[in-house]
């Protein structure tokens, strides 16, 4: 018998503090930034500065590990002159705090408002979210664009909502009722006033590609979707999706 654990759909953080020294050794020139959430929770991020005239890409990771597991995805952008910023959530990477939808959404928003305080306008920022982090990117874009639209929103292996994702793994439990954290992406994506790039793998076993396609249908123009044949949930980098993102960004910049 297959036992489905509901917490599988939630959070698997690494409590280990990410090592910027390791990142620098492997050619991601990380600087550590420290700041606080509105409730005084201590937060941190890694970042690299843009060269003059380039924008900054904010990467929001999913429900597992910590930022050290993902910096490889940003090296291409850093070496192309773009700024990069990788915020960590409370409860991940050795940070204290309770992990839930409300808190993670707040931590994502706090990271971007921190960048605003450093002088980056929303129009200087691309929001890039992977998996659960795609929700953070969508939510942040929808809630902060009153201060100006973002340069763009990049969503890697996103889902339409968490209940549908859970139901794809088991039809035996009423997950829509059981899930306290809903992550309703289809509702919020409709309000975004920025160009949107969505990426998925045709063989994704975690978030089936049809859920990503449903989200794309709800996204407003201008939008683009790339589905990587035989791509899975965590390996789109092997298909060089970083180069596709870079090309999309550069095309987007020319159209402004």
């Amino acid at each position: 018998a297959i036992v489905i654990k509901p917490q599988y759909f939630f959070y698997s953080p690494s409590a280990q503090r990410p090592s910027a020294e390791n990142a620098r050794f492997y050619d991601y020139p990380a600087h550590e930034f420290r700041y606080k959430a509105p409730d005084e929770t201590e937060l941190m991020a890694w970042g690299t500065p843009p060269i003059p005239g380039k924008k900054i890409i904010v990467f929001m990771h999913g429900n597992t590990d910590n930022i050290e597991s993902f910096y490889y995805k940003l090296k291409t952008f850093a070496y192309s002159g773009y700024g990069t910023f990788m915020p960590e959530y409370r409860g991940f990477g050795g940070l204290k705090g309770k992990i839930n939808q409300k808190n993670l959404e707040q931590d994502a928003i706090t990271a971007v408002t921190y960048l605003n305080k450093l002088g980056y306008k929303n129009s200087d920022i691309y929001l890039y979210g992977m998996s659960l982090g795609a929700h953070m990117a969508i939510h942040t874009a929808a809630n902060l664009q009153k201060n100006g639209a973002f340069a763009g929103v990049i969503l890697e292996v996103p889902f339409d909502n968490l209940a549908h994702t859970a139901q794809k793994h088991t039809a035996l439990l009423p997950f829509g009722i059981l899930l306290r954290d809903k992550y309703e992406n289809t509702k919020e994506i409709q309000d975004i006033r920025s160009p949107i790039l969505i990426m998925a793998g045709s063989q994704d076993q975690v978030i089936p590609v049809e859920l990503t396609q449903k989200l794309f249908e709800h996204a407003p123009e201008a939008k683009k979707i790339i589905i990587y044949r035989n791509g899975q949930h965590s390996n789109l980098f092997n298909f060089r999706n970083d180069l596709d993102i870079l090309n999309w960004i550069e095309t987007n910049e020319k159209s402004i």
Side-chain angles (χ1 to χ4, degrees):
I2 298 174
V3 178
I4 303 293
K5 296 182 179 180
Q7 65 263 33
Y8 170 76
F9 299 103
F10 288 85
Y11 314 105
S12 300
S14 167
Q16 184 173 344
R17 181 184 168 88
S19 169
E21 187 177 332
N22 285 348
R24 289 191 287 266
F25 181 81
Y26 289 106
D27 298 323
Y28 177 67
H31 299 273
E32 188 172 290
F33 297 83
R34 293 199 159 267
Y35 48 94
K36 289 183 179 180
D39 64 2
E40 295 297 309
T41 299
E42 297 274 356
L43 299 172
M44 60 86 67
W46 285 355
T48 61
I51 64 172
K54 292 281 191 180
K55 300 190 189 308
I56 188 166
I57 298 165
V58 179
F59 178 82
M60 299 173 179
H61 72 77
N63 67 325
T64 63
D65 301 323
N66 63 34
I67 56 175
E68 189 170 350
S69 298
F70 300 99
Y71 68 82
Y72 70 92
K73 297 172 73 64
L74 298 183
K75 288 163 69 170
T76 295
F77 311 124
Y79 280 95
S80 299
Y82 291 90
T84 63
F85 197 74
M86 300 181 66
E88 191 57 282
Y89 312 118
R90 69 187 69 198
F92 291 77
L95 297 178
K96 295 178 181 178
K98 184 177 180 181
I99 301 173
N100 57 42
Q101 179 175 348
K102 180 183 175 184
N103 285 345
L104 299 193
E105 288 174 347
Q106 180 61 68
D107 293 349
I109 284 174
T110 299
V112 175
T113 54
Y114 174 74
L115 287 176
N116 292 155
K117 290 172 185 173
L118 291 182
Y120 296 100
K121 301 174 192 169
N122 289 351
S123 57
D124 298 325
I125 297 171
Y126 284 93
L127 298 173
Y128 175 8
M130 177 182 177
S131 193
L132 188 68
H135 173 81
M136 306 311 161
I138 293 167
H139 181 80
T140 301
N143 282 272
L144 291 184
Q145 63 186 1
K146 61 183 179 292
N147 302 321
F150 287 87
V153 178
I154 302 157
L155 307 174
E156 181 173 337
V157 294
F159 51 79
D160 56 347
N161 65 57
L162 189 59
H164 286 167
T165 306
Q167 287 162 1
K168 287 293 182 179
H169 291 269
T170 176
L172 300 178
L173 293 172
F175 274 105
I177 298 171
L178 294 178
L179 295 175
R180 181 179 299 172
D181 292 351
K182 305 293 186 182
Y183 294 109
E184 295 274 8
N185 289 331
T186 49
K187 290 182 180 177
E188 292 194 288
I189 199 169
Q190 299 174 54
D191 297 326
I192 292 177
R193 302 198 312 266
S194 304
I196 298 171
L197 172 64
I198 293 179
M199 295 165 289
S202 67
Q203 302 302 311
D204 193 327
Q205 300 298 305
V206 178
I207 297 172
V209 66
E210 58 264 29
L211 299 187
T212 302
Q213 290 170 315
K214 279 185 181 178
L215 182 67
F216 178 75
E217 289 169 10
H218 285 83
E221 297 288 353
K223 61 183 177 179
K224 179 179 181 178
I225 190 169
I226 303 173
I227 298 174
Y228 295 88
R229 185 178 178 186
N230 297 321
Q232 298 175 18
H233 190 66
S234 300
N235 74 345
L236 298 191
F237 185 82
N238 296 347
F239 295 81
R240 296 316 305 263
N241 77 315
D242 55 328
L243 298 182
D244 289 330
I245 293 170
L246 194 63
N247 180 63
W248 178 79
I249 287 174
E250 291 176 349
T251 302
N252 184 47
E253 296 295 302
K254 290 174 186 172
S255 67
I256 294 175

